[in-house]
């Protein structure tokens, strides 16, 4: 029960106990503290939202003030420039001044300029002549007349110029005698002291300065003109506004920069925030008082129930006495019922998470947990045996006899394993797969004997639902630590051994061998090569003739895939076809073979057909009928010259869907042949369900013709049945004249095998037809 110690209830109880170092012992105290905490959160959120709104309002107000100050500064600058211009107008129109200028009386001009400078409060007064030369009031702040000349000639009379290292407001007045003879220029610097004096005229505290655009730096240089942005300063964040100022000098782009401290903007609302905080504190205190009064009224009758709940939250199964008022008795009874129900449900959940529902056996998760512990303790004296068990052809049994019979078979196998190995852990991994774990085996234990017990216990006749079923199972066995020293590796070894057992013919067991791992790696490599070969078009088609005994000639060819591997030479279909089937690549291979076979067959004589094998995976994948239709249309091959060969395994699964697809193919005019007849489970039922055009007698019956009369009887039965159902028969693997004569006498229509010809490349089909139909086949048949 200690698993409850980490529950949300327990964590909440511990958090409340530790809150502000108080030892809360009653349910009422918890309710009050929870209520106060909730109220504190609400108040904090409210204050935070209000503070955020105040901050947003303060920022918006500061932005509006800053924009208004920018307009004020523009007006102040314009006013200062006008004052300078008015002072200059008086002197520029003075007769004595113009006379001194006309006669070149330099001392008089300098004296007049100095007087004008002092009287106007300017930093410099000067005359800019038409050639750009300057007559200054003194040596202090030289004016670059050449830089001003272009603007002055274009009519500009006010703006900012550079006076030494400082920016200065400037106003220019033309000197006319009566024609233009020059300009009287007055300039007043805009240094820190000057800008501070201007800033004092603002409604809010701002920092103002005029700088050239090139001196703004990265932070201010990125601020759009006329927009307000936030930048970081040496003393915190600031709101800044950069605006353009008219220039009276070439090569200069002055900017007015106004900055307003965000901290200063927020300072005006400090009192409002304090008031909000006080309101929150008062509300929290009032809420706490109300919560305490409310919790005391609720907690008294529930104290015993709260103690029981706390004990239950800490992991102890605790119930309460059913006593007190009707409401309390009802609550106590409900609590006790809840404890019982939770306990029962947890046990069910725990069991369901570790066991299989159908058989009641441990599942894969439980098996791996046990295996991990067994592997941790294993050594040379305490070995671990792991067996993977797979029921052979379970899907066929399940589909043929129904799921209830399949489920009962799984339960019967589970009981058989438990009866044979009572000390082992038997688990169901899912589907028809089981696992068996035998830990702590000493070196003297005969593992082969254990494997034989498994084999004999599973490969036998079982009675399921009143019906006798012959059951077989494949078993893969791995033993640690000799095969692997980790649980994952041991499982992998057992899985590889199971794969080999199924490959060797099923119904057998196989121990893991290191070569199996190498074989698995080889298969993975082969699958990769197979994908590349499909992509690069490395496959070829060979064709084996289908010979008519009655007509004594070749009537068609069966298309067979061949893979000339770039490294390993010609790879047998028995090697790559199973890999293609398992990986699903057989669908792409099958579609390619169908298209290529039809393309080549379209070039043969009109009475020669082509047979193409169809994989069960192609039928399951859908789209086969569409592929056939498109292929016939693209190649121009008549549908009657195409024959599709299927095996009985295509009916394992959705029989109705398979029959529907086959009927749609036959409706196109395509012939359908049943390959390897007699080797499956229910051949006769398939013949009744679908009207095949041809039955191919498996070569195992043909090769047995010389061993006794039973094989001849089977062949005779098949040909008689096919004749009654109006179907052709073709015998595979005919290699001797004796077999041919026997098949002719038993009524077989066609043959296929090395007696007629081995499979040949597509380019040799025409030559083979010429030879076979020219008389050589007749000699072989005669």
């Amino acid at each position: 029960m200690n698993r409850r110690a980490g529950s949300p209830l327990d964590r909440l109880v511990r958090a409340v106990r530790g809150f502000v170092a108080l030892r809360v012992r009653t349910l009422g105290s918890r309710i009050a503290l929870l209520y106060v905490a909730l109220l504190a959160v609400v108040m904090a959120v409210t204050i935070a939202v209000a503070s955020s709104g105040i901050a947003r309002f303060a920022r918006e107000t500061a932005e509006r003030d800053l924009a208004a100050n920018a307009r004020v500064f523009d007006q102040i600058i314009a006013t200062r420039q006008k004052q300078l211009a008015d002072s200059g107008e008086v002197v520029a129109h003075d007769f004595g001044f113009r006379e001194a200028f006309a006669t070149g009386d330099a001392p008089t001009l300098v004296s007049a300029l100095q007087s004008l400078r002092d009287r106007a409060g300017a930093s410099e007064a000067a005359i800019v002549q038409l050639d750009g030369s300057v007559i200054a009031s003194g040596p202090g702040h030289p004016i670059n007349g050449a830089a001003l000349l272009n603007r002055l000639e274009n009519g500009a009379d006010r703006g900012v110029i550079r006076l030494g290292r400082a920016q200065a407001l400037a106003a220019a007045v033309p000197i006319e005698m009566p024609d233009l003879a020059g300009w009287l220029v007055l300039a007043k610097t805009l240094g820190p002291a000057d800008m501070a004096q201007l800033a004092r005229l603002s409604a809010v505290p701002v920092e103002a300065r005029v700088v050239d655009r090139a001196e703004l730096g990265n932070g201010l240089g990125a601020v759009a003109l006329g927009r307000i942005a936030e930048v970081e300063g040496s003393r915190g964040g600031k709101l800044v506004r950069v605006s353009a100022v008219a220039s009276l000098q070439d090569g200069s782009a002055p900017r007015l920069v106004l900055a307003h401290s965000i901290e200063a903007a927020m300072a005006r609302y400090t009192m409002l925030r304090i008031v909000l905080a006080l309101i929150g504190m008062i509300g929290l205190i009032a809420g706490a008082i109300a919560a305490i009064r409310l919790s005391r009224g609720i907690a008294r009758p529930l104290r015993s129930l709260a103690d029981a709940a706390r004990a239950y939250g800490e992991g102890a199964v605790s119930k309460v006495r059913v006593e007190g008022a009707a409401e309390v008795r009802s609550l106590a009874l409900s609590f006790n019922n809840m404890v019982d129900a939770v306990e029962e449900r947890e046990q069910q959940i725990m069991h369901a998470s570790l066991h299989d529902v159908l058989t009641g056996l441990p599942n894969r998760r439980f098996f791996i947990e046990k295996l991990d512990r067994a592997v941790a303790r294993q050594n040379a004296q305490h070995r671990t045996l792991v067996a993977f068990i797979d029921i052979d052809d379970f899907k066929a049994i399940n589909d043929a006899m129904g799921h209830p019979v399949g489920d009962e078979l799984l339960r019967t196998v589970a009981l058989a394993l438990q009866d044979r190995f009572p000390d082992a852990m038997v688990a169901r991994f899912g589907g028809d797969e089981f696992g068996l774990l035998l830990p702590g085996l000493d070196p003297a234990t005969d593992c082969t004997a254990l494997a034989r017990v498994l084999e004999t216990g599973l490969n036998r006749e079982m009675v399921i639902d009143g019906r006798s079923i012959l059951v077989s199972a494949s078993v893969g066995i791995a033993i640690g630590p000799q095969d692997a020293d980790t649980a994952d590796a041991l499982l992998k070894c057992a899985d590889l051994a199971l794969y080999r057992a199924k490959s060797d013919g099923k119904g057998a067991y196989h121990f893991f061998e290191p070569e199996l791992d190498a074989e698995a790696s080889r298969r993975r490599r082969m699958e990769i090569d197979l994908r590349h070969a499909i992509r690069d078009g490395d496959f070829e088609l060979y064709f084996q003739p289908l010979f008519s005994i009655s007509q004594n000639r070749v009537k068609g060819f069966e298309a067979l895939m061949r893979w000339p591997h770039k490294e390993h030479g010609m790879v047998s279909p028995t090697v790559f076809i199973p890999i293609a089937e398992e990986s699903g690549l057989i669908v792409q291979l099958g579609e390619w073979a169908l298209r290529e076979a039809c393309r080549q067959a379209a070039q043969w004589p009109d009475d020669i057909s082509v047979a193409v094998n169809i994989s069960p995976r192609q039928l399951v994948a859908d789209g086969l009928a569409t592929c056939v239709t498109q292929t016939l249309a693209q190649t121009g091959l008549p549908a009657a010259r195409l024959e599709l060969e299927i095996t009985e395994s295509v009916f394992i699964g959705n029989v109705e869907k398979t029959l529907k697809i086959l009927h749609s193919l036959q409706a196109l005019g395509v012939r359908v042949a049943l390959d390897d007849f007699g080797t499956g489970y229910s051949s006769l039922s398939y013949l009744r369900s679908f009207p095949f055009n041809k039955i191919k007698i498996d070569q195992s019956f043909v090769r047995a013709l010389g061993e006794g009369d039973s094989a001849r009887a089977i062949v005779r039965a098949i040909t008689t049945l096919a004749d009654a159902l109006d179907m052709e028969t073709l015998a595979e693997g005919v290699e001797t004249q004796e077999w041919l004569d026997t098949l002719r006498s038993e009524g077989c229509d066609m043959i296929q095998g090395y007696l007629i010809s081995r499979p040949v490349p597509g380019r040799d089909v025409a030559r083979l037809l010429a030879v076979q139909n020219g008389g050589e086949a007749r000699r072989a048949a005669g």
Side-chain angles (χ1 to χ4, degrees), residues 611-672:
V612 181
N613 289 281
I614 299 298
S615 165
R617 294 290 289 267
Q618 287 179 265
L619 283 170
V620 173
D622 295 332
L624 178 60
T626 302
C627 180
V628 171
T629 304
Q630 292 176 348
T631 300
L632 293 175
Q634 292 169 359
T635 60
L637 182 73
R641 292 177 57 193
L642 174 62
E643 185 175 278
L644 301 180
E645 296 186 3
I646 64 170
T647 60
E648 295 167 359
S649 60
V650 302
F651 293 100
I652 298 177
N654 192 335
V655 177
E656 293 182 1
K657 178 181 177 183
T658 301
L659 290 176
K660 181 179 179 181
I661 295 172
L662 293 178
H663 278 292
S664 66
L665 291 171
Q666 207 172 53
L668 294 173
V670 175
R671 293 167 56 83
V672 181

Side-chain angles (χ1 to χ4, degrees), residues 101-422:
F101 181 70
T103 59
D105 186 355
T108 300
L109 290 175
V110 171
S111 175
L113 291 173
Q114 290 175 346
S115 175
L116 174 61
R117 180 193 64 195
D118 296 339
R119 185 171 63 253
S123 302
E124 181 61 86
I127 297 172
V128 178
Q129 301 185 74
L130 295 179
D131 60 355
S133 59
V134 176
I135 301 175
S137 63
H141 303 286
I143 292 178
N144 187 351
L148 273 60
L149 191 59
N150 183 51
R151 303 288 179 95
L152 293 175
E153 287 178 345
N154 289 326
D157 59 356
R158 296 179 189 180
V160 174
I161 66 173
R162 182 170 291 279
L163 203 60
R165 300 176 62 89
Q167 300 285 347
L169 289 177
V173 179
I175 303 173
E176 298 174 342
M177 305 181 61
D179 295 330
L180 180 65
W183 294 269
L184 178 60
V185 179
L186 283 85
K188 181 172 180 56
T189 58
L190 293 173
D194 300 309
M195 296 307 295
Q197 183 179 4
L198 290 176
R200 284 194 291 272
L201 300 176
S202 173
V204 294
V206 297
E207 299 175 7
R209 57 195 177 103
V210 175
V211 297
D212 193 81
R213 180 177 58 187
E215 300 173 357
L216 285 177
N218 293 334
L220 294 176
V223 178
L225 294 179
R227 298 294 181 89
I228 296 176
E230 182 177 342
V231 299
E232 285 296 324
S234 58
R235 289 180 291 180
K238 294 182 179 182
L239 295 176
V240 299
R241 185 179 187 275
V242 179
S243 57
V245 181
S247 175
L248 199 59
Q249 182 175 340
D250 287 343
S252 174
R255 297 288 186 264
L256 173 62
V257 180
L258 298 181
H260 182 35
S261 171
I262 296 177
E263 182 180 356
M266 297 299 297
R268 292 185 288 175
Y269 300 94
T270 302
M271 184 55 67
L272 180 58
R273 290 185 171 184
I274 294 174
V275 171
L276 281 174
L278 289 176
I279 293 173
M281 290 292 294
I282 294 172
L284 185 61
I285 293 172
I289 294 173
I292 292 172
R293 293 173 61 87
L294 179 64
S295 63
R296 286 178 179 175
I298 294 175
R300 289 191 189 97
L302 303 177
R303 183 169 300 164
S304 61
L305 186 60
D307 292 339
R310 183 170 56 254
Y312 189 64
E314 293 172 351
V317 179
S318 177
K319 296 185 179 181
V320 296
R321 295 178 61 183
V322 181
E323 59 182 5
E327 293 82 358
V328 176
R329 289 199 305 272
S330 177
L331 184 59
L333 184 60
S334 299
F335 177 82
N336 292 340
N337 291 337
M338 179 198 71
V339 171
D340 293 337
V342 169
E343 287 300 309
E344 181 180 357
R345 193 157 49 248
E346 284 196 350
Q347 291 176 3
Q348 292 173 352
I349 292 172
M350 182 62 68
H351 184 274
S353 67
L354 296 174
H355 290 79
D356 173 55
V357 177
L358 179 64
T359 62
L361 293 177
N363 58 17
R364 186 183 188 95
R365 174 187 169 191
F366 198 2
F367 185 89
I368 292 176
E369 288 181 3
K370 289 283 190 179
L371 179 60
D372 285 335
R373 290 195 286 270
V375 169
R377 296 191 297 268
Q378 74 179 5
N379 52 49
Q381 304 303 317
H382 296 84
R383 299 182 298 167
T384 305
L385 183 145
V386 174
F388 271 9
I389 303 157
D390 184 88
I391 301 175
D392 297 328
D393 301 316
F394 175 76
K395 181 172 177 59
I397 297 172
N398 206 31
D399 291 339
M401 299 186 178
H403 293 287
V405 174
D407 292 345
E408 186 60 30
L409 174 60
L410 293 174
R411 285 190 285 266
T412 303
V413 171
L415 289 174
L417 290 171
Q418 289 178 309
D419 290 343
R420 295 296 179 105
F421 298 93

Side-chain angles (χ1 to χ4, degrees), residues 360-613:
L361 293 177
N363 58 17
R364 186 183 188 95
R365 174 187 169 191
F366 198 2
F367 185 89
I368 292 176
E369 288 181 3
K370 289 283 190 179
L371 179 60
D372 285 335
R373 290 195 286 270
V375 169
R377 296 191 297 268
Q378 74 179 5
N379 52 49
Q381 304 303 317
H382 296 84
R383 299 182 298 167
T384 305
L385 183 145
V386 174
F388 271 9
I389 303 157
D390 184 88
I391 301 175
D392 297 328
D393 301 316
F394 175 76
K395 181 172 177 59
I397 297 172
N398 206 31
D399 291 339
M401 299 186 178
H403 293 287
V405 174
D407 292 345
E408 186 60 30
L409 174 60
L410 293 174
R411 285 190 285 266
T412 303
V413 171
L415 289 174
L417 290 171
Q418 289 178 309
D419 290 343
R420 295 296 179 105
F421 298 93
D423 298 330
M425 182 182 190
V426 180
R428 183 188 175 207
F429 288 172
D432 59 343
E433 292 186 351
F434 294 85
L436 184 139
L437 171 63
L438 279 169
L441 296 179
D442 59 59
T445 302
D446 187 354
C447 294
T448 303
L450 295 175
R452 291 199 188 98
V453 172
L454 263 175
E455 183 182 31
T456 56
L458 295 175
N459 297 314
R460 59 186 175 87
E461 193 174 89
M462 296 183 182
V463 179
I464 308 297
D465 196 21
R467 287 185 279 188
S468 180
I469 300 176
L470 184 60
V471 179
S472 71
S474 301
V475 182
I477 302 172
I479 301 172
Q482 66 190 56
D483 291 336
D485 55 4
T486 66
D488 290 341
L490 203 57
L491 289 172
K492 176 185 175 184
C493 293
D495 193 38
L496 291 172
L498 174 63
Y499 184 85
R500 173 54 62 86
K502 295 184 78 68
S503 301
D504 287 348
K506 305 178 182 179
Y509 65 86
H510 201 289
F511 285 91
F512 172 77
E513 301 167 352
E515 293 79 6
L516 296 180
D517 203 7
E519 174 68 13
S521 298
R522 187 194 67 80
R523 291 179 65 85
R524 286 193 294 271
R525 182 67 251 178
M526 183 66 72
E527 181 181 339
I528 295 173
D529 291 348
L530 192 60
R531 293 181 185 276
H532 292 167
I534 294 174
R535 181 195 64 193
D536 299 337
D538 291 342
F539 287 91
E540 298 178 2
L541 282 186
Y542 277 51
F543 297 90
Q544 187 170 33
L546 309 178
F547 186 81
S548 171
I549 298 177
S550 60
Q551 298 181 22
N552 205 21
R553 70 183 186 91
V554 174
K555 289 185 63 178
F557 290 86
E558 180 180 359
L560 303 171
M561 273 189 286
R562 295 293 184 264
W563 180 13
H565 196 282
K566 296 176 181 178
E567 296 180 10
H568 307 300
M570 192 67 74
V571 180
S572 171
T574 60
V575 174
F576 71 82
I577 291 296
I579 298 175
E581 289 277 3
E582 293 172 11
S583 62
L585 296 173
I586 193 66
V587 175
Q588 300 177 51
L589 271 177
E591 291 181 356
W592 171 84
L594 177 65
R595 292 191 176 95
E596 181 64 15
C598 290
R599 183 189 68 80
Q600 296 195 39
Q603 304 171 18
W604 301 343
D606 292 342
D607 60 342
I608 303 299
S609 64
V610 65
V612 181
N613 289 281

Side-chain angles (χ1 to χ4, degrees), residues 698-745:
D698 187 70
Q699 58 184 339
S700 60
F701 298 119
V702 175
R703 291 172 180 169
L705 288 175
E707 299 175 3
D709 294 336
S710 60
R712 296 189 62 165
I714 292 175
V715 171
R716 185 184 312 118
I718 295 175
T719 57
T720 303
L721 177 64
D723 185 59
L725 296 175
D726 196 23
M727 300 178 186
E728 292 182 347
T729 53
L730 183 146
E732 299 178 300
V734 179
E735 298 181 359
T736 68
Q737 183 66 38
E738 180 184 357
W739 293 352
L740 172 60
D741 294 338
T742 303
L743 291 168
R744 179 193 291 113
S745 64

Side-chain angles (χ1 to χ4, degrees), residues 45-59:
V45 171
T46 302
I47 293 174
V49 171
S51 297
S52 176
I54 291 172
R56 186 165 56 252
F57 177 76
R59 181 186 177 94

